[in-house]
């Protein structure tokens, strides 16, 4: 038994601790194909090598969220194997496209700790960085996760809550080298809408829905080598249900957003995100988006849309995020704030 890894508990973390995560992961064309089998994604850049080349990206990158899930999965055995729930994200930037053949490795630094008042759990804040085989940063992000304590009587650490930016400044977005939308093919992309066609405050109902199954969400989570017990083991939760990995809901919502945001081709940053409620097999996921901001970029023909992407259990035609109390409305599963690159 001494050779197995039970995972870290809350009292095992210290502020400033750096963790080098195991098992670098090489991305393949098989990952691209399986991602498309799991999620109804149709964005032209990761779907079409000629389209990607026409906007300056060759070879065609995989979906940004595929890279995020792989990089995130590396952190799970060390950070969230004993988690109650992943709570949120901030300051996520995609620094360069990930292409088949790239190998991602991830390291994390603990930047905050806060024991909960019940004394049984605490929140751990980590900043994680994924690099490729050349040592170049592919993406980095902050997340915070609620983790069980091993010993309820263990003393609480000093509370440290990091000060995190509410939004990535558009000037700090990293644009892929060579990206050029000046000859953008709207017919191949699937929609004519450009940056100027979207107004701040506009809401878009993405219409379509996907019903979750245990087989698909467990397959996806294994694909990312995410070993969190709550996604696989019905004995890991008191209710005897497998919790759907929050990233699975993110990818479904992003894929569903194609209908109305087909030209939001590349995710440049995730400003923040919250998993507002758990999701389970049998739930039907719908999505809607709100335009929060627009920005110009230095790349030819490329603009940026700041979007709130919301996933709901069932379709919410009223597109309501919060109730009168200020809490998330019933049925809201995900509230994700992101920057996407679109043609001007």
């Amino acid at each position: 038994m001494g050779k197995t890894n039970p995972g870290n508990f809350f009292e095992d973390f210290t502020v400033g601790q750096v963790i080098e995560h195991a098992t670098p992961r090489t991305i393949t064309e098989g990952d691209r194909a399986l991602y498309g089998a799991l999620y109804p994604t149709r964005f032209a850049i990761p779907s079409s090598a000629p389209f990607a080349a026409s906007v300056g990206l060759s070879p065609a990158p995989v979906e940004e969220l595929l890279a995020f899930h792989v990089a995130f999965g590396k952190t799970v055995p060390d950070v969230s194997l004993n988690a109650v729930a992943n709570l949120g994200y901030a300051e996520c930037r995609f620094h360069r496209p990930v292409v088949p053949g790239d190998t991602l490795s991830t390291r994390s630094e603990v930047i905050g700790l806060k024991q909960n008042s019940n004394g049984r759990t605490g929140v751990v804040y980590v900043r994680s960085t994924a690099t490729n085989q050349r040592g170049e940063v592919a993406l980095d992000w902050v997340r915070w996760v609620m983790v069980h304590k091993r010993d309820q009587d263990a003393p609480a650490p000093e509370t440290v809550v990091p000060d995190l930016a509410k939004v990535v400044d558009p000037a700090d977005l990293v644009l892929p080298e060579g990206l050029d939308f000046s000859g953008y093919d709207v017919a191949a992309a699937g929609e004519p809408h450009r940056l100027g066609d979207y107004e701040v405050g506009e809401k878009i109902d993405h219409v379509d829905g996907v019903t979750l199954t245990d087989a698909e969400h467990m397959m996806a989570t294994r694909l990312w080598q995410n070993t969190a017990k709550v996604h696989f083991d019905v004995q890991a939760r008191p209710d005897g249900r497998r919790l759907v990995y929050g990233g699975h809901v993110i990818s479904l919502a992003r894929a569903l957003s194609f209908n109305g945001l087909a030209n939001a081709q590349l995710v440049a940053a995730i400003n923040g995100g919250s998993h507002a409620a758990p999701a389970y097999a049998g739930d039907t996921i719908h999505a809607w988006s709100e335009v929060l901001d627009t920005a110009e970029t230095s790349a030819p023909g490329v603009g940026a849309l700041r979007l709130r992407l919301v996933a709901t259990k069932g379709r919410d035609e009223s597109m309501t995020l919060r109730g009168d109390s200020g809490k998330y409305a019933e049925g809201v599963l995900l509230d994700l704030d992101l920057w996407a690159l679109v043609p001007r």
Side-chain angles (χ1 to χ4, degrees):
M1 290 293 290
K3 290 186 173 63
T4 57
N5 175 22
N8 290 316
F9 291 84
F10 180 69
E11 58 265 45
D12 295 323
F13 295 98
T14 57
V15 173
Q17 176 183 3
V18 175
I19 305 168
E20 301 284 350
H21 302 295
T23 321
R25 173 79 153 71
T26 301
I27 308 300
T28 70
E29 286 291 355
D31 290 303
R32 189 198 306 272
L34 192 46
Y35 189 94
L38 291 163
Y39 308 110
T41 183
R42 289 181 285 158
F43 293 99
I45 287 177
S47 297
S48 166
F51 186 96
S54 75
V55 298
L57 301 180
S58 185
V62 298
E63 299 254 359
E64 294 84 5
L65 289 175
L66 191 160
F68 175 80
H69 296 322
V70 168
F72 181 101
K74 302 294 95 189
T75 72
V76 169
D78 301 308
V79 174
S80 49
L81 195 65
N82 296 305
V84 180
N86 191 60
L87 300 177
Y89 311 92
E91 297 183 2
C92 175
R93 287 194 305 165
F94 296 89
H95 291 255
R96 52 183 34 81
V98 172
V99 301
D102 280 348
T103 299
L104 298 181
S105 303
T106 310
R107 71 198 299 263
S108 297
E109 179 183 358
V110 179
I111 60 172
L113 293 170
K114 183 179 185 296
Q115 181 166 302
N116 291 327
S117 57
N118 62 19
R120 298 191 297 272
T121 58
V123 178
V124 181
Y125 297 79
V126 296
R127 185 181 299 278
S128 300
T129 304
T131 54
N132 63 21
Q133 67 276 15
R134 294 179 294 274
E136 301 163 334
V137 175
L139 65 148
D140 60 356
W141 71 98
V142 172
R143 72 162 167 143
W144 48 104
V145 57
M146 189 186 304
V147 180
H148 288 290
K149 290 183 71 175
R150 179 190 294 106
D151 177 6
Q152 292 186 33
D153 296 326
E158 178 186 357
T159 296
V160 176
V161 176
D163 184 19
L164 301 171
K166 286 186 168 56
V167 60
V168 175
D169 190 301
D172 293 331
L173 298 176
V174 183
L175 304 180
E177 185 177 349
L179 185 66
D180 184 346
F181 281 173
S182 56
Y184 190 91
D185 184 346
V186 293
E191 286 180 354
H193 315 303
R194 296 175 179 267
L195 182 69
D197 297 321
Y198 294 94
E199 295 183 4
V200 173
E202 178 182 359
K203 291 184 177 180
I204 304 161
D205 180 357
H206 300 303
V207 181
D208 308 304
V210 172
T211 301
L212 295 171
T213 69
D214 269 333
E216 286 180 330
H217 85 77
M218 288 194 296
M219 181 184 295
T221 310
R222 280 193 292 268
L223 183 63
W224 326 128
Q225 297 177 330
N226 179 334
T227 56
K229 303 168 190 175
V230 292
H231 305 316
F232 304 103
D233 184 350
V234 295
Q235 297 178 325
R237 287 170 51 88
D239 62 7
R241 305 172 80 185
R242 300 178 186 92
L243 181 69
V244 173
Y245 163 48
H248 189 66
V249 177
I250 293 175
S251 276
L252 278 173
R254 163 70 176 158
L256 291 171
S257 75
F258 178 90
N259 191 348
L261 285 166
N263 291 324
Q265 285 286 353
L266 299 168
V267 178
I270 296 173
N271 299 305
S274 297
H275 296 293
Y280 304 97
D283 293 346
T284 297
I285 307 300
H286 282 260
W288 57 269
S289 292
E290 179 184 3
V291 179
L292 299 178
D293 200 359
T294 64
E296 304 288 333
T297 80
S298 59
V302 178
L305 271 180
R306 184 182 169 198
L307 301 164
R308 166 174 282 124
L309 175 61
V310 178
T312 59
K313 179 181 176 180
R315 187 176 177 190
D316 176 16
E317 296 184 45
S318 69
M319 293 182 280
T320 301
L321 183 68
R322 297 181 184 273
D324 295 337
S325 67
K327 295 182 178 180
Y328 283 113
E330 184 177 355
V332 172
L333 300 173
L334 170 74
D335 176 12
L336 196 70
D337 180 335
L338 59 87
W339 281 108
L341 302 181
V342 301
R344 287 194 264 127

